[in-house]
Amino acid sequence: TPNKAPLIVSHIVIDDVDITYDKPDGAGKFIAVEKANLSIEKSTFVTIVGPSGCGKSSLLLAIDGLVGVSGGTIKVNQIPVTGPGRDRAMVFQEFSLLPWRTIVENVKFGLEMHRWKTDDIDERSRRFIKLVGLAGFEDYHPHQLSGGMRQRVGIARALAVDPEILLMDEPFGALDAQTREVMGNELLRIWEQDKKTALFVTHSIDEAIFLGDVVVVMGKNPGHIKKIIKIDFPRPRSVDMTDSHKYTEYRRLIRDLLSDEIDDIRLVETTTD
């Protein structure tokens, strides 16, 4: 029928997912994530916020296929994730650059691992270095760059392999506040180019709201999804949005959702003493 709404097929579907690890002493299992459910549409920027130990990173690693699930399924384009794939790329908090390689060689490394055509590798690496604002630094080594610049290299390396999904595990966590704000704006500028589906793990409520179309709030003991919040701000984003009443409401809602988790942490610390 002409008036029938088009069927929206989610790009990523997390269905009743459990993630468990063996305890170091061999005495049973540790539940990192329990019964997580989330559907993500193509080209959506999703931020994930929660306290330490709530399974944020584990969930990201499972989507990337680096960690297996012990229950439920994760599907990308309706196909179950059974391992890493060329359709996904990860940016970690640690810069993970090879110190003996130049910047352009570090970006090339990701393409080499994906068996990219040799003829395309150099031109493509330089194009993405330019995209992240590092033109002129191609022949530098990682130790010659600032933390923010090194993280740009990591983003360039991930984008160069042209993934459908960009996974970022606290990529700005080691940066100072000013550099972190600059990098957030730069990331959105880069993301606006082709709007890949993106998942971004953070501890910062402000970062989660500013970057995300959707904020996923997680709780712990065991890790679980507490609430999924759609962020209703137009793009491109501006720092002016942080002065609005709507922004304050989002911030208060997320803070209240996380306050129980913080209280739990304090209670454990008090009891331990």
Side-chain angles (χ1 to χ4, degrees):
T1 45
N3 295 325
K4 187 175 181 181
L7 178 65
I8 298 175
V9 178
S10 295
H11 197 180
I12 305 170
V13 176
I14 298 167
D15 184 15
D16 261 358
V17 161
D18 298 327
I19 302 171
T20 59
Y21 299 104
D22 292 325
K23 289 184 178 178
D25 58 5
K29 301 278 188 181
F30 167 74
I31 303 171
V33 177
E34 185 175 60
K35 300 300 178 195
N37 290 280
L38 180 65
S39 292
I40 301 168
E41 293 178 22
K42 197 173 182 64
S43 300
T44 303
F45 198 122
V46 176
T47 52
I48 305 174
V49 66
S52 296
C54 71
K56 302 185 300 294
S57 296
S58 292
L59 195 58
L60 218 61
L61 290 169
I63 294 169
D64 198 33
L66 295 172
V67 165
V69 301
S70 50
T73 58
I74 297 176
K75 293 182 179 179
V76 172
N77 292 321
Q78 303 182 70
I79 300 170
V81 171
T82 56
R86 190 168 174 170
D87 55 351
R88 286 151 283 147
M90 178 83 85
V91 179
F92 295 95
Q93 178 177 347
E94 298 82 16
F95 305 121
S96 304
L97 302 180
L98 303 174
W100 61 89
R101 282 191 169 220
T102 63
I103 299 316
V104 70
E105 288 170 346
N106 265 284
V107 177
K108 284 181 180 180
F109 182 73
L111 293 164
E112 291 163 1
M113 292 297 97
H114 282 83
R115 291 174 164 62
W116 209 271
K117 285 184 183 177
T118 306
D119 295 344
D120 297 341
I121 285 180
D122 189 73
E123 184 277 330
R124 188 171 184 83
S125 298
R126 292 177 186 276
R127 175 150 51 94
F128 280 90
I129 288 171
K130 183 178 180 181
L131 177 68
V132 299
L134 288 178
F137 291 90
E138 292 86 350
D139 297 324
Y140 282 61
H141 284 80
H143 74 273
Q144 296 174 295
L145 304 183
S146 68
M149 293 168 81
R150 290 198 293 272
Q151 197 56 280
R152 288 172 191 252
V153 179
I155 293 169
R157 184 173 58 189
L159 290 172
V161 300
D162 195 26
E164 292 181 21
I165 298 166
L166 187 61
L167 304 165
M168 292 167 280
D169 189 7
E170 295 191 66
F172 307 150
L175 306 178
D176 63 81
Q178 186 175 359
T179 304
R180 188 169 184 151
E181 184 177 331
V182 170
M183 286 299 300
N185 282 293
E186 277 295 286
L187 178 60
L188 287 185
R189 177 188 65 79
I190 295 163
W191 177 79
E192 290 281 355
Q193 305 283 320
D194 57 7
K195 293 191 176 178
K196 294 180 183 297
T197 303
L199 285 88
F200 185 104
V201 165
T202 179
H203 274 98
S204 167
I205 295 174
D206 291 302
E207 198 166 62
I209 299 169
F210 184 75
L211 296 176
D213 297 309
V214 173
V215 176
V216 176
V217 182
M218 292 189 68
K220 59 187 295 186
N221 298 326
H224 61 282
I225 293 175
K226 292 187 79 168
K227 196 169 184 66
I228 299 166
I229 303 165
K230 181 172 170 42
I231 303 298
D232 186 22
F233 280 112
R235 294 190 183 275
R237 297 278 167 86
S238 163
V239 71
D240 293 341
M241 68 184 251
T242 61
D243 296 326
S244 69
H245 179 66
K246 186 192 295 184
Y247 182 91
T248 303
E249 287 183 338
Y250 283 133
R251 199 178 192 286
R252 183 181 296 115
L253 171 60
I254 296 170
R255 186 193 62 205
D256 289 348
L257 286 165
L258 293 175
S259 64
D260 292 342
E261 309 297 327
I262 296 168
D263 290 343
D264 286 346
I265 293 168
R266 288 173 180 162
L267 179 62
V268 169
E269 290 174 347
T270 304
T271 305
T272 303
D273 291 339

